[in-house]
Each structure stands twice: as structure tokens, then as C-alpha cells.
Amino acid sequence: MKQRITLKQIALAFNVSIATVSKALKDSHEISISTKQKIQEYALQHNYRPNRIALSLLNKKTKTIGVIMPSILNPFFVKTFSGIEQIANEKGYNVITIVSHGKLDKEIASVNMLENGLIDGLLISLSEETESKQHFKHLEEFIENAGPIVMFDRISDSVITDKVIVDDFNCAYKATEHLIKTGCKHISVVSTLKNVGIIKLRINGYLKALEDYKLPVNKKIITLIKPEYDFETEIKTMLDYQNVDAIIGLEEFSAVEAMVIAQDRGYTIPDDISIISFTSSDFFKYTKPSITCINQHSVFMGKTATEILISKIEQPQDADPVFETRTIKTTLIERNSTKPLVIK
Amino acid sequence: MKQRITLKQIALAFNVSIATVSKALKDSHEISISTKQKIQEYALQHNYRPNRIALSLLNKKTKTIGVIMPSILNPFFVKTFSGIEQIANEKGYNVITIVSHGKLDKEIASVNMLENGLIDGLLISLSEETESKQHFKHLEEFIENAGPIVMFDRISDSVITDKVIVDDFNCAYKATEHLIKTGCKHISVVSTLKNVGIIKLRINGYLKALEDYKLPVNKKIITLIKPEYDFETEIKTMLDYQNVDAIIGLEEFSAVEAMVIAQDRGYTIPDDISIISFTSSDFFKYTKPSITCINQHSVFMGKTATEILISKIEQPQDADPVFETRTIKTTLIERNSTKPLVIK
DNA sequence: CTGAAAGCGCTTACAG
DNA sequence: CTGAAAGCGCTTACAG
């Protein structure tokens, strides 16, 4: 690999100053047409490209945003990322992605590492540990020193910034209500996440629906399974010892695994047990039966978060900081893992 | 947001030179302990972080790599990306990701855009259009001007650089052989991709297996469906007018869609029709029946490609360029969409 | 032990 | 019409 050509080299080639070359390549009216012509031609021939790093240093803008997510092997984050990438690209921004793997220290290290002029702003969805330990200093420092942050999905109310969320309370409510209206009375909630705000909201929505429809709460079928426990054992135990006629899976994995376990134990879906899943993937139309789900429109969430971030980056420095929290609507997609509506 | 603190400001605060501050923060033995102490403390308090852009300009290394892929909404690329991110992070590199959406012009624009000092090297999986039009000038230019490239999965033999691939010929051969040994004779191949090297290799592997086992080739059941055609119609037509007792899906979507369509038409899987899919996702264990597949170990592919790229980036400039092509082994995972082995 | 200088690649206000 | 100078934030070889 030979070195990239620079203004200096072009200047040398024509025995003019670097400033002249710079202006010529910008087609400045200050420079004579003949000079511009020969310089431009030479630059083209030699594949000149302005060094972006030098420009970043000059402008104090890198036209790059950062994205920190707990995982990338999860359809929700993949789709959100896809939305982020689309908008960033449209607006001429590059995207640097870091996965926190649910770990606070990884998240802190990543945020700190990006706090050095590399990016103009940050999109972040908090790691589980960050939420459970309620540690946000790294984020506040970033906002203080480096640039705007937009939080998406896994957010914290303690951090004052822009946020994009799903209406978790309401969509859990709707899912529960749907099951109730199809005749279910013993509705279980299953998740592999626990100390995460969105999970709490979903459970609250579920509880509210039970309350509104005057159904009793059975805490033993609210099954939040810690990573160190065996998912299959927990679900089997619940199915064997509790009365369950519906399961709401709070993420893809929980729903489909629970369904398979129930089927293995001889339950018919949806007649014996109905299933609803939160999801961002289209895959659930291919299971047998296909699974009814709450679609979170995660591509749109990614797009929205990125639009907000870039508008914050590009707004004048002295603008009043006004923060907003945008809520993305969800859709219930009825498929074959739930029974037809009976009430109303 | 207040401005990040710089060496200049620290220097000002203590009335010393910028050079002194720089050395003090590096704990240089040239600087007196007392000076170092006060400067280090001040820097810590004020959250000083060396500006990475300035360092990049100085060192001509950005510690950032680029990744260009045709898609991110595809389990294969998601998993590969996950492997890339892991290794890059371990080695202290950032990752900038761009999706080409299968378009040559998007790919060219992306490569050009990254050819300006922003990244130290590039990982790329070619877009469909790049392969079909056999246009590689942008890649050669990048290598010439900007840094090393490692191609993965969708590669081209015309570009002289490092490559990481799946043994597509052999694994298609193995899949076909497996079907033959379970008693299938009319084996169809279905794909939504066409002018892509890996697809051609897979088809060649398939044809070789038919030849070796002395089975006739029926070109009408090699179904490569262009995006402008309707997948469902094409599959239905094939099932209705051709004799088919097995389907090899060359990507996730093709396999699962074909299976669902066959089931809807009353075929039993695997008794009437067996299914094997190429895949990178675990999802196929949840379909009914679960789908036998060729696992491409894509996380490993991503890791391998990144290791090669970083070693190329970090090797001395004057090292002899030796290029390698690494082949990732695949595994056949038997599930319930294929019959038990009958021969041998 | 400390600092001035040159330089990474660029831009722009200013002088000539 | 062209160029010298200053500067973005940093490092390092060299001088004092």
C-alpha cells in the first residue's frame, strides 16, 4: 500500500502553496481557472481524498455516532440497529457499534472510550447490570463532556436526556386483555430478564389488566428466570404444579421455548394453553402454530432515535436543551397460538 | 455541554508548556514528581481524555476498522458481525458498519467514503450486484491507497487479498449426499439469490453429488427465484408439476418458506418431502418439524476474518504481502425434517 | 527538569 | 490571483 496523496504533495507537484491547492479543490472563485483545472485534474488522477481525520480535528465534528447495545444476537436490537444505520447513512454519518453484553463495566469502558472526540453523539440501550445497579455516572459525564445521548428501549428516568421507548405498560396490558377476551383466566408471564425497567413495566401492565378484569393474581406463574437457573426445569415445574391456560413471553426466546416445552408435555396450543410473545422478528409466523405477538416496530425505533440524535448534534450550540421522550406504538398481530375473541 | 478539557488548558492552569503536560500525563521520567503529581491530579479531576482524533492524525492509525455487508437483517451476517465486534473489541479496535443493501453503487460509495484515513482496514462481503457485474475497481483502489481488506463469504477470486470462506461446494455435496442416503431421489434446490459465487459453488456441489450417486439432474427443480418473481408461486408450480422428494434451501428464508408451502399443500415432512437448510440461526429447532441444517459457524467466520485483518494492519509496513484464503468447516445438524439414514 | 519547534493534513481570515 | 500564518490537539526529538 502506498501512502495516500495529500494536499502537500499536490502543492509540491505544481510548485504552489497548500492553501492554493485547498481552495482550487473547493473550486473557490479566488483561484484562476487554469490553476484550478490542472490541480483538479491531478487530484482526480491521483485519487485524492481529503483526510477525514484532519477535517474532524479542524471542525470538531466527526460525523460519526456511537451505538452501545446489550446484545446484537437478538432480533430486537438487530432491527433497531438496522434503522439506526439507515438514517445515519442518509444523513452522512458513520456508525460505531459496541456491544456491552449486559455488563456494566463493559458499558462504562465503552462510553469512556467514546468520550474522546471520536463521536458526535451516542445512542444507548442500557445493559441489565446498569439498570439493576442504577449506575449512570458514565452517561452523565458523557453528556457533560462529549455530546448528546439518546437512550432507546432500555432507558433510565434518572438520566436527563432524549429517550425513545416502547409503550411497554400498555402493550402488556393489551396482550393480557386479548388473552382474557379469548377466555383465558390463568395467564402466566415468562421472561429471562428481571431487573430491567421494561420488564417491570410489562408486568405492571399485565397486573393492571388482571385487576381491571377482576382476575386473581397468582405470583407463582409470574416466572422470571435468572440466567443461572435452568429455563426448561422452571417451565416444566410451573406447568406441572400450577394451573396455566396462557403464557405471555416477554422476549422471543421465552415464548417459543415455553411453547415447545408445553407441546412436549402434551398440551395443545392454543386450546389448552395460549401463547403471546413480544417480538421484533417475523419468524413466529413459521412456528407451528404460528405465534400471536406484540410487534415492537424496532426498525422505526432505531430510525426515530437516530433522527433525534442527529438533530441534537446539528442544532446550534446555544439552543435551549429541551428533552423529549418519544413512545413507539406497538401492534398486536393475531396468529394461531391464541383463540378467537369471545367477549365483545 | 461544555468543551472537553485539552492539554492546552491544563498547561495554562499551571503555567507550564503543553509538552510538559503531555509528558507528565504519560508519567515520563523527564518530569519532576511534584509537577507530575499536580498535573495528573488536575487531569483526573477534570476528566481529561486525550483526543483520539488528534492522535489518529499524528499516528496515521485510527484503531478503527470498517465492515461492509449486503444486509444486516440476515442471521448469517448478524452472527458474523457479532464475531467481528468481539475480536475488534478485544484488540482495541472500533468498528464502523455500513450496509450495502446488495447494491453496487452503495458499496462503491461506502468504500470510497472509508478511503480517507478513517479506518485502518476493511472487512467486506460483496453485494449481489458487485458479483454479478464483476466490478472490483473500488476494492483495488482501497487496497492501493488505504489499507488491507479481508473479504468474507461473498468474495471474488479477482481481488488479490485475504479471504475467509465457507466450504460451500463440499457442504452442498454433503447435504445432497445425506438426502440421497436417506432415500431421496428427486432433490430440489431453492434459493432467492442467483449471481452470487457461493450459490454457484453450492449448486456445483449438489450436482457433483448427484453425479457421484448416478442420479439424473432435473433442471426444473433447481429453482433460483429472482426478487421480482413471487416465491410462493414458483414453489407451488414446482411442487405441482415436478416430482420432488427433497428440498435444499440455500438460505434460511427459502427453506422455511418452502417447507410451509409444501405443508399447506398437504405434503408431510419428511416422509413426502425432506428439507435441509443452510443456516446460521438456531431458530430451526423451533419449527415443526425442526429443520436439519448445514451450520455455517458464522461467528467463527467473523472472528477469523477480523483476526486476519488486524494482524495485517499491525504487521510492519515492509513485510512481504502473503495472502491466504481460510475455509471454515461446516456441520450438518440432523433434525426432524429429514429421514433417518438408510444406506450404509 | 522544562520548553520551543516541527509536524500529522487540513481550512480560512488576512495580506500582498 | 496566490501564499504565509495560525490553528484544531496532540507527540517527540532536540535544546537549554
Side-chain angles (χ1 to χ4, degrees):
Chain A
M1 166 196 142
K2 67 161 194 275
Q3 283 304 315
R4 252 183 311 277
I5 192 169
T6 65
L7 292 189
K8 203 177 181 180
Q9 290 167 49
I10 303 180
L12 218 64
F14 291 103
N15 225 320
V16 294
S17 75
I18 294 175
T20 302
V21 177
S22 171
K23 287 177 197 159
L25 291 177
K26 303 196 99 86
D27 216 14
S28 158
H29 61 271
E30 287 183 65
I31 306 293
S32 74
I33 300 196
S34 67
T35 309
K36 282 199 285 195
Q37 230 161 28
K38 63 183 183 189
I39 289 180
Q40 285 172 10
E41 198 180 332
Y42 187 90
L44 198 66
Q45 261 175 27
H46 289 74
N47 230 293
Y48 171 75
R49 281 193 232 289
N51 183 312
R52 183 122 161 212
I53 300 293
L55 290 177
S56 294
L57 187 58
L58 210 53
N59 305 327
K60 302 197 172 196
K61 287 281 174 200
T62 58
K63 280 274 191 174
T64 301
I65 61 174
V67 179
I68 300 179
M69 306 182 293
S71 162
I72 182 79
L73 298 175
N74 169 324
F76 174 79
F77 290 115
V78 172
K79 289 217 165 181
T80 307
F81 180 73
S82 168
I84 293 171
E85 200 273 342
Q86 275 176 58
I87 297 298
N89 228 273
E90 254 172 43
K91 310 229 173 195
Y93 281 76
N94 284 122
V95 181
I96 286 181
T97 314
I98 305 186
V99 179
S100 65
H101 297 288
K103 296 289 169 217
L104 175 59
D105 54 358
K106 182 75 201 298
E107 186 180 295
I108 294 177
S110 310
V111 172
N112 286 346
M113 197 263 293
L114 294 172
E115 204 176 314
N116 53 15
L118 240 195
I119 60 174
D120 295 339
L122 179 64
L123 294 167
I124 189 168
S125 194
L126 299 178
S127 82
E128 288 87 324
E129 217 185 326
T130 309
E131 283 200 67
S132 68
K133 294 196 177 158
Q134 292 279 307
H135 183 286
F136 309 116
K137 206 171 128 248
H138 54 303
L139 302 175
E140 284 150 4
E141 265 177 32
F142 186 95
I143 295 172
E144 179 75 8
N145 300 314
I149 287 184
V150 176
M151 305 179 88
F152 62 94
D153 196 53
R154 304 204 186 159
I155 62 148
S156 163
D157 291 332
S158 321
V159 183
I160 299 162
T161 190
D162 295 291
K163 289 154 201 166
V164 181
I165 52 175
V166 163
D167 191 5
D168 287 289
F169 180 92
N170 276 319
C171 62
Y173 186 97
K174 276 196 288 185
T176 312
E177 189 177 40
H178 185 84
L179 289 169
I180 296 172
K181 287 185 176 173
T182 64
C184 300
K185 291 188 162 39
H186 307 283
I187 303 168
S188 161
V189 173
V190 174
S191 170
T192 55
L193 255 39
K194 194 168 178 182
N195 288 311
V196 172
I198 55 171
I199 297 298
K200 291 177 188 161
L201 285 169
R202 290 175 191 176
I203 290 174
N204 289 341
Y206 155 83
L207 292 172
K208 183 74 167 77
L210 292 187
E211 187 190 323
D212 287 357
Y213 285 88
K214 304 197 172 24
L215 286 177
V217 175
N218 175 0
K219 288 204 170 173
K220 292 195 174 142
I221 60 176
I222 301 178
T223 308
L224 306 183
I225 300 165
K226 294 184 199 156
E228 60 267 30
Y229 284 59
D230 181 54
F231 189 88
E232 198 168 340
T233 311
E234 298 293 312
I235 298 296
K236 282 182 181 169
T237 309
M238 178 181 84
L239 291 177
D240 290 350
Y241 294 100
Q242 301 296 327
N243 194 356
V244 169
D245 59 13
I247 295 175
I248 302 179
L250 299 193
E251 335 85 21
E252 274 91 1
F253 170 82
S254 297
V256 68
E257 270 283 339
M259 182 167 95
V260 169
I261 294 167
Q263 287 174 322
D264 283 352
R265 285 186 116 51
Y267 294 100
T268 304
I269 315 293
D271 298 330
D272 301 331
I273 297 180
S274 297
I275 308 272
I276 290 190
S277 177
F278 280 70
T279 191
S280 304
S281 133
D282 296 329
F283 205 94
F284 285 168
K285 61 181 173 196
Y286 298 118
T287 54
K288 281 262 145 49
S290 58
I291 298 179
T292 296
C293 57
I294 303 276
N295 188 307
Q296 296 166 107
H297 300 299
S298 32
V299 174
F300 184 69
M301 175 178 254
K303 288 187 177 182
T304 305
T306 311
E307 275 162 2
I308 296 175
L309 182 67
I310 293 180
S311 83
K312 277 297 157 69
I313 289 172
E314 294 181 349
Q315 88 185 359
Q317 282 280 20
D318 50 354
D320 257 340
V322 183
F323 298 112
E324 60 173 325
T325 294
R326 206 109 106 210
T327 304
I328 308 291
K329 289 261 168 290
T330 56
T331 324
L332 180 76
I333 302 174
E334 266 193 84
R335 291 204 269 248
N336 300 322
S337 67
T338 46
K339 294 174 281 186
L341 288 175
V342 290
I343 328 181
K344 271 173 196 170
Chain B
M1 167 194 137
K2 68 162 192 276
Q3 282 305 314
R4 253 182 310 277
I5 192 171
T6 64
L7 291 189
K8 203 177 182 180
Q9 288 167 49
I10 302 180
L12 218 66
F14 292 103
N15 226 320
V16 294
S17 75
I18 294 176
T20 302
V21 177
S22 172
K23 288 176 198 161
L25 291 178
K26 301 196 103 83
D27 216 15
S28 157
H29 62 272
E30 289 183 63
I31 306 295
S32 75
I33 300 197
S34 67
T35 308
K36 282 199 282 195
Q37 228 163 30
K38 64 184 183 188
I39 288 180
Q40 286 172 9
E41 198 180 332
Y42 187 90
L44 197 67
Q45 261 174 28
H46 289 75
N47 231 293
Y48 171 76
R49 279 193 233 289
N51 183 314
R52 181 122 162 213
I53 300 295
L55 290 178
S56 294
L57 187 58
L58 210 53
N59 304 327
K60 303 198 171 196
K61 286 282 174 200
T62 58
K63 281 274 191 174
T64 302
I65 60 175
V67 179
I68 300 180
M69 305 181 293
S71 162
I72 182 79
L73 297 176
N74 170 325
F76 174 79
F77 289 115
V78 172
K79 288 217 166 182
T80 306
F81 179 73
S82 168
I84 293 170
E85 200 273 340
Q86 274 176 59
I87 297 298
N89 228 272
E90 254 171 44
K91 310 229 175 199
Y93 281 75
N94 284 123
V95 182
I96 287 181
T97 313
I98 305 185
V99 179
S100 64
H101 297 288
K103 297 288 171 217
L104 176 59
D105 54 358
K106 182 74 202 301
E107 186 180 295
I108 293 178
S110 309
V111 172
N112 287 345
M113 196 264 293
L114 293 173
E115 204 175 314
N116 52 17
L118 239 195
I119 59 174
D120 296 337
L122 179 63
L123 294 167
I124 189 167
S125 194
L126 299 177
S127 81
E128 288 87 323
E129 217 185 324
T130 308
E131 284 201 67
S132 68
K133 295 194 176 158
Q134 292 280 307
H135 183 286
F136 309 115
K137 205 169 127 249
H138 54 304
L139 301 176
E140 285 149 5
E141 264 176 33
F142 186 95
I143 295 171
E144 179 73 9
N145 300 313
I149 287 185
V150 176
M151 306 180 89
F152 62 94
D153 196 56
R154 305 203 185 161
I155 61 148
S156 162
D157 291 330
S158 322
V159 183
I160 299 162
T161 190
D162 296 291
K163 290 155 200 165
V164 182
I165 53 174
V166 163
D167 191 4
D168 287 290
F169 180 91
N170 276 319
C171 64
Y173 186 97
K174 275 195 290 184
T176 312
E177 189 177 41
H178 185 84
L179 289 168
I180 296 172
K181 288 187 175 173
T182 63
C184 300
K185 293 191 160 35
H186 307 284
I187 303 169
S188 160
V189 172
V190 174
S191 171
T192 54
L193 254 38
K194 193 170 179 181
N195 288 312
V196 172
I198 54 171
I199 296 299
K200 291 176 188 161
L201 285 171
R202 290 176 190 174
I203 289 173
N204 289 340
Y206 155 83
L207 292 173
K208 183 72 168 74
L210 292 187
E211 188 190 322
D212 287 356
Y213 285 87
K214 303 195 168 31
L215 286 176
V217 175
N218 175 2
K219 287 204 171 171
K220 292 197 173 141
I221 60 177
I222 301 178
T223 309
L224 306 183
I225 301 166
K226 294 185 198 155
E228 60 268 31
Y229 284 58
D230 182 54
F231 189 89
E232 197 167 340
T233 310
E234 298 293 312
I235 298 296
K236 282 181 179 167
T237 309
M238 179 181 84
L239 291 177
D240 290 352
Y241 294 100
Q242 302 296 326
N243 195 356
V244 169
D245 60 12
I247 295 175
I248 302 179
L250 299 193
E251 335 87 20
E252 274 92 0
F253 170 82
S254 297
V256 69
E257 270 284 340
M259 181 168 96
V260 169
I261 293 166
Q263 286 174 323
D264 283 352
R265 284 187 118 51
Y267 295 99
T268 303
I269 316 293
D271 298 332
D272 300 332
I273 296 180
S274 296
I275 308 271
I276 290 190
S277 177
F278 279 71
T279 191
S280 304
S281 134
D282 296 329
F283 205 93
F284 285 168
K285 61 180 174 198
Y286 299 119
T287 54
K288 279 267 147 47
S290 57
I291 298 179
T292 296
C293 57
I294 302 277
N295 188 308
Q296 296 166 106
H297 300 298
S298 33
V299 173
F300 184 69
M301 174 177 255
K303 288 187 178 184
T304 306
T306 311
E307 275 162 2
I308 296 176
L309 182 67
I310 293 179
S311 83
K312 279 296 157 72
I313 290 172
E314 294 181 348
Q315 89 184 358
Q317 281 281 19
D318 51 355
D320 256 340
V322 182
F323 297 114
E324 59 173 326
T325 294
R326 205 110 107 209
T327 304
I328 308 291
K329 289 260 169 293
T330 56
T331 323
L332 180 76
I333 301 173
E334 267 194 84
R335 291 202 269 248
N336 300 321
S337 67
T338 45
K339 294 175 281 188
L341 288 175
V342 290
I343 328 182
K344 273 176 196 168

